[in-house]
Each structure stands twice: as structure tokens, then as C-alpha cells.
Amino acid sequence: MQHYFMNQTLTTGQTIQLPTNISHHLGKVLRAEVGDHIELVSLEHQVFEAEVNKLDGSEVDATILKSTQKNVELPLAVTIVSGLSKGNKPEWIVQKATELGVSQVIFLPMNWSVVKWNQKASKKIARLNEVALSAAEQSHRNKVPNVTYLDGLKSLTELNFDTKLVAYEESAKDGEETQLVKAVKRTSAGQSIVAVFGPEGGISEAEIALLKDNGFVLAGLAPRIMRTETAPLYFLSAVSVLTELI
Amino acid sequence: MQHYFMNQTLTTGQTIQLPTNISHHLGKVLRAEVGDHIELVSLEHQVFEAEVNKLDGSEVDATILKSTQKNVELPLAVTIVSGLSKGNKPEWIVQKATELGVSQVIFLPMNWSVVKWNQKASKKIARLNEVALSAAEQSHRNKVPNVTYLDGLKSLTELNFDTKLVAYEESAKDGEETQLVKAVKRTSAGQSIVAVFGPEGGISEAEIALLKDNGFVLAGLAPRIMRTETAPLYFLSAVSVLTELI
């Protein structure tokens, strides 16, 4: 079933005209028919099942049948902070992180980032939010992750999170594995957890010092060295396993 | 430190001439110098630290200093079976799965695979094994995963594994989450576990029936729907969390 995010409150029994982009996708791209069922997510993140009841030119109407009661969100609000990386890695990170339940992705330049975004940042961020929306639709999320850009780690340290980690390669090599588990375990349902991942070149000592001074805990992930675009996915999967499976 | 796989037994104190491709990489690409330290992995999967002691034209010699005692391999031998998918997803899967500790990746056509490899299979598999080698070097693995092609699921059912799973989207939607955890928990260190992942279009009912008849257990992964190239990474991360972190 197609899954779309609606920026409005929905009520069972209500018939609504779908927004232009959704109407176009259903009517023209998918060639939906009257009677087809779709999922619509309300402003309050509830997933409703609806039935297409009118296809008139570019206008598509749907009737809300029932709330599905589905909640596929992680119990914790997870923020991934990614030091700017090359090529299309940011798109890949946002897409996969969305499938894995991320709440927020923050991109920021770090000391060893080879790339800089500068004036391109707002255009890139707009594109990345489209990637997040598309991935959230396909993963049938209740929420669309937010993708933002900060000008550096200092700005990050001004934000509040209940638990703060930095994925540090050195720690992983030293066999340090349990900070990740401890951090997830001490974060209660509904609380927020942030993890910082360096760019291809890694994280500098000055950046580690700044993060430690601001309450970030160094956490090895697994014994193996993972690339800048893989490590966040391991982390999100770990949060899922530790909070949803066991 | 650079990390290379040697197809020979290594002994502390021994001085060896490195194979041509490794000599070239060290000597010409990295411009290594006498005294530089590198990691060499023996045929028996032991990681040794070695020192470059000669750079003569295209010949590079190294002296084995000591065994590092490093073992970054997952406790279980994990095989990922991936229904043929589009574009460069196979390369991504092999690269990321290698970073995440996979032992073996098997590609095979499935009912709803949009792509077929046929005569191109051997060339693709050769390329994918290069991707695995490169990723294993970067992740400092003790072993290089093997990438192979089978002509179909029937051939897969003739192979032996201690634990057999199929990642089935239907199960995930029905809230079924614990088969994954049970399966990993009942697989002892050193044993093998295989998980089948369908292509973009999913797995057909006939394929599910064939797998179930051959001892494969249907396992939902997490509440969210993941793409064909993401689900194997979640699974490998879950195996890591369940066997290495807790």
C-alpha cells in the first residue's frame, strides 16, 4: 500500500482532497483506481488507512477508513551527526538512516572533511530532505526525519540531547565495546540520543576534546573499522536491536 | 597501518618479498619508506605486524615483527544470500557486508529479480570478489569474504548451514520480531548462519514454501521496511550486537 505524509489532522470517516503532489503520484504515476487503499499519516504521526473515492483530472479524493494503530518508530529519538563526506554518501546516509528509524540527521563540516558545502548547503539540504521524505514513505514511517546543516561542532554542542556519543575509531581498535550498550540502556523511551560520526579522514583530537568537554562519551561500535557511511547504520541497527528486539 | 592478505604462512622474524600487487601498492601508490609498519594476514588468518625493510624497484621486502593477536571476526560464520538486484547494489552490499563481518555472500536470481546475470555472472562475481578484498583490507579483517553465484534457490537448499533464516517482509509487518534473536542465540560460536534476502520486488510465496520445506525460518527484522541492500546490513549489525556487545 502506498504511504503518504499529510500535514493535517485526519479523522475516520472524513473525505479529503489530497495535495497536488500526492494526487499526481496516485493519479498519473501509479494510475490508481477508485477503491484502491492507501496509507495516510496525520500531522500527529498516526497512520490511517484510506480509500480512493474520486479521480477527477488532477484531483484525487480519499475517505479515511480507520486508524491502523501502526507505530514503527524507534523508542528513542536518534540523531546522527555526520561530518561532511564525499560524493553521494550524504544521500546514501539519509536514505538508509531513514529506513533504519533515524529522527534527525545533522551534517556539518569537520576538521578532516575533504568537502565543504558553504553556499551549496541549503540546496543540498533541500535535496536531502526530499530523500528523507521518499525513504520515509517507502519504509512506512510515522515520521519524516529532519535533515539539517550546522556550521560546525561548536554549534552542535549548543543543542540538548539526553545521551551523547561520538563514534571514535581509536576506541574501537582498543577493544572498547560496551559504552554503546551502556548509553542505549540508560536512555529511556522518548529520550534523545545523538551520535557523531567523522568524515573519511576521521575525527581530530581537538574535536574529540571539544566533544568530551561537552558531555559526549567516546564509544567504539564493533571490532571492525567501518566507513563513514556504514558506521551510522550499524549504530541505528544496534539501537533497534537493543530497544526493539530484546 | 595498511592491511594486506598474504596467501602463505608467516613467522615472526621471517623476511619475505611481498607479492607484486602489494609491492606496487606500497612502493608506487603509497610511496612507503623503509621502516614503515604494515599488517600482513597469514593463510591461517592471523594478523602480523611487519616492517618494510627494502624498497628496490618493484620489489618490496618486509620483516615480520610479531603477531598482533587481533581477531575482529564475528563469532558466527554469517552468509548473506541476496536475490539479484539492480545497478550497483551488489557492489554496495558486498562492500558494506564485508565491513560488517560477513563470511560469505551468495547472489542468485529469484522469481521477482528484475535483473538476470546469466553469462555475465562470472565477470560480475570476479569484480565482487575484488570489492570484498578491498573492503576486507580497509576493515582490517582476518578473513576475506567469499562471493559466489548460484543458479537459484534450489541450489542454495543443497548447502549446509547450522541456522537458516529468510528475511520476510510479511513477517515484519505482522510484528514478528523475535525469530531473529532466537536464531542468533541458538547458533554457537563457530557455527554457520545464513539469511536470505529478496530482490526489490520481494520474495514469492513459492520461494517461501521451498525455503520453509528446507528448514529456513521466516524472520522479521525490525518494524520498518528496509530495501534489499539495507536489510542484510541490519542483519549483520544485529548478529554483531547480539554476539559481540552483550
Side-chain angles (χ1 to χ4, degrees):
Chain A
M1 239 190 295
Q2 291 300 308
H3 182 95
Y4 298 108
F5 292 89
M6 302 286 288
N7 293 321
Q8 62 184 87
T9 301
L10 301 173
T11 325
T12 301
Q14 181 189 19
T15 294
I16 53 174
Q17 180 177 341
L18 299 177
T20 312
N21 56 331
I22 297 174
S23 293
H24 179 261
H25 191 252
L26 271 171
K28 310 288 181 193
V29 177
L30 296 183
R31 309 237 187 104
E33 296 177 351
V34 169
D36 283 355
H37 284 207
I38 57 177
E39 282 184 349
L40 298 176
V41 188
S42 72
L43 191 64
E44 298 80 14
H45 311 302
Q46 283 189 311
V47 181
F48 289 84
E49 188 169 337
E51 183 175 289
V52 174
N53 71 2
K54 179 175 171 185
L55 288 150
D56 182 6
S58 46
E59 178 182 333
V60 180
D61 292 356
T63 302
I64 310 299
L65 299 178
K66 60 174 183 177
S67 170
T68 65
Q69 307 297 333
K70 285 182 190 172
N71 179 9
V72 302
E73 297 300 306
L74 283 170
L76 311 183
V78 182
T79 294
I80 296 296
V81 177
S82 177
L84 298 189
S85 54
K86 297 188 296 190
N88 67 349
K89 287 181 189 180
E91 276 86 348
W92 206 81
I93 290 168
V94 168
Q95 188 189 69
K96 295 340 180 186
T98 299
E99 293 171 50
L100 292 167
V102 79
S103 283
Q104 179 178 215
V105 185
I106 296 174
F107 288 94
L108 47 77
M110 290 180 69
N111 290 163
W112 293 340
S113 288
V114 173
V115 299
K116 299 278 179 238
W117 287 0
N118 299 324
Q119 303 95 305
K120 293 187 294 181
S122 54
K123 191 171 172 188
K124 283 192 179 281
I125 290 296
R127 169 71 191 133
L128 291 169
N129 277 290
E130 288 175 6
V131 171
L133 173 60
S134 177
E137 287 174 341
Q138 189 175 37
S139 323
H140 291 232
R141 294 274 309 261
N142 294 69
K143 299 179 185 177
V144 182
N146 199 29
V147 185
T148 55
Y149 177 82
L150 291 178
D151 58 11
L153 276 184
K154 186 82 176 53
S155 298
L156 175 69
T157 62
E158 291 157 16
L159 304 180
N160 291 318
F161 299 95
D162 296 302
T163 302
K164 301 188 282 192
L165 297 175
V166 49
Y168 195 43
E169 193 185 289
E170 294 308 315
S171 296
K173 284 181 182 167
D174 290 340
E176 199 284 308
E177 292 171 2
T178 59
Q179 286 299 340
L180 167 57
V181 175
K182 287 181 195 168
V184 174
K185 284 184 167 172
R186 70 172 174 267
T187 312
S188 311
Q191 287 194 319
S192 58
I193 181 167
V194 62
V196 177
F197 298 87
E200 293 92 339
I203 306 180
S204 70
E205 286 187 18
E207 290 171 323
I208 289 296
L210 172 66
L211 290 167
K212 283 173 80 171
D213 284 349
N214 283 275
F216 282 75
V217 172
L218 270 56
L221 296 179
R224 295 155 296 284
I225 292 168
M226 291 177 283
R227 289 166 196 252
T228 186
E229 70 275 17
T230 311
L233 311 190
Y234 178 92
F235 175 71
L236 282 159
S237 300
V239 171
S240 166
V241 172
L242 295 169
T243 61
E244 296 180 315
L245 300 195
I246 59 178
Chain B
M1 240 191 293
Q2 291 299 309
H3 183 95
Y4 299 108
F5 292 90
M6 302 287 288
N7 293 321
Q8 62 183 88
T9 300
L10 300 173
T11 324
T12 301
Q14 180 188 21
T15 294
I16 53 174
Q17 180 177 340
L18 300 178
T20 311
N21 56 333
I22 296 174
S23 292
H24 176 83
H25 191 251
L26 271 170
K28 309 287 180 195
V29 177
L30 296 183
R31 307 231 187 111
E33 297 179 349
V34 169
D36 283 356
H37 284 207
I38 56 176
E39 283 185 348
L40 298 176
V41 188
S42 71
L43 190 65
E44 299 80 13
H45 312 303
Q46 283 190 312
V47 181
F48 289 84
E49 189 168 337
E51 184 175 289
V52 174
N53 71 1
K54 180 176 169 186
L55 288 150
D56 181 7
S58 46
E59 177 181 335
V60 180
D61 291 358
T63 302
I64 310 298
L65 299 178
K66 61 174 181 176
S67 171
T68 64
Q69 307 297 333
K70 285 182 191 172
N71 179 8
V72 303
E73 297 300 307
L74 283 170
L76 311 183
V78 182
T79 293
I80 297 296
V81 177
S82 177
L84 297 190
S85 53
K86 297 187 294 189
N88 66 348
K89 287 181 191 180
E91 277 86 348
W92 277 116
I93 290 168
V94 168
Q95 189 188 69
K96 292 350 177 179
T98 298
E99 294 170 50
L100 293 166
V102 79
S103 281
Q104 178 178 217
V105 184
I106 296 173
F107 288 95
L108 47 76
M110 290 180 70
N111 290 163
W112 293 339
S113 288
V114 174
V115 299
K116 299 277 181 238
W117 287 1
N118 300 324
Q119 301 95 305
K120 292 187 294 180
S122 54
K123 189 171 174 188
K124 284 192 177 281
I125 289 295
R127 167 72 191 133
L128 292 169
N129 276 290
E130 288 174 8
V131 171
L133 173 61
S134 176
E137 288 173 341
Q138 189 175 38
S139 322
H140 291 232
R141 293 275 308 261
N142 294 70
K143 300 179 185 177
V144 182
N146 198 30
V147 185
T148 54
Y149 176 81
L150 292 178
D151 57 12
L153 276 184
K154 187 83 178 48
S155 298
L156 175 68
T157 63
E158 290 158 16
L159 303 181
N160 290 319
F161 301 94
D162 296 301
T163 301
K164 301 188 280 193
L165 296 176
V166 48
Y168 195 43
E169 194 186 288
E170 293 308 316
S171 297
K173 284 181 182 167
D174 290 339
E176 199 285 309
E177 293 173 0
T178 57
Q179 286 298 340
L180 167 56
V181 175
K182 288 182 195 168
V184 174
K185 284 185 168 173
R186 70 172 174 266
T187 312
S188 311
Q191 288 195 318
S192 58
I193 181 167
V194 63
V196 178
F197 299 87
E200 293 91 340
I203 306 179
S204 71
E205 286 187 17
E207 291 172 321
I208 289 297
L210 172 66
L211 289 167
K212 283 173 78 172
D213 284 349
N214 282 276
F216 282 74
V217 172
L218 270 57
L221 295 181
R224 294 155 295 284
I225 291 168
M226 291 176 284
R227 290 168 195 251
T228 186
E229 69 275 18
T230 312
L233 312 189
Y234 178 91
F235 175 71
L236 282 159
S237 300
V239 172
S240 166
V241 172
L242 294 169
T243 62
E244 295 181 313
L245 301 195
I246 59 178

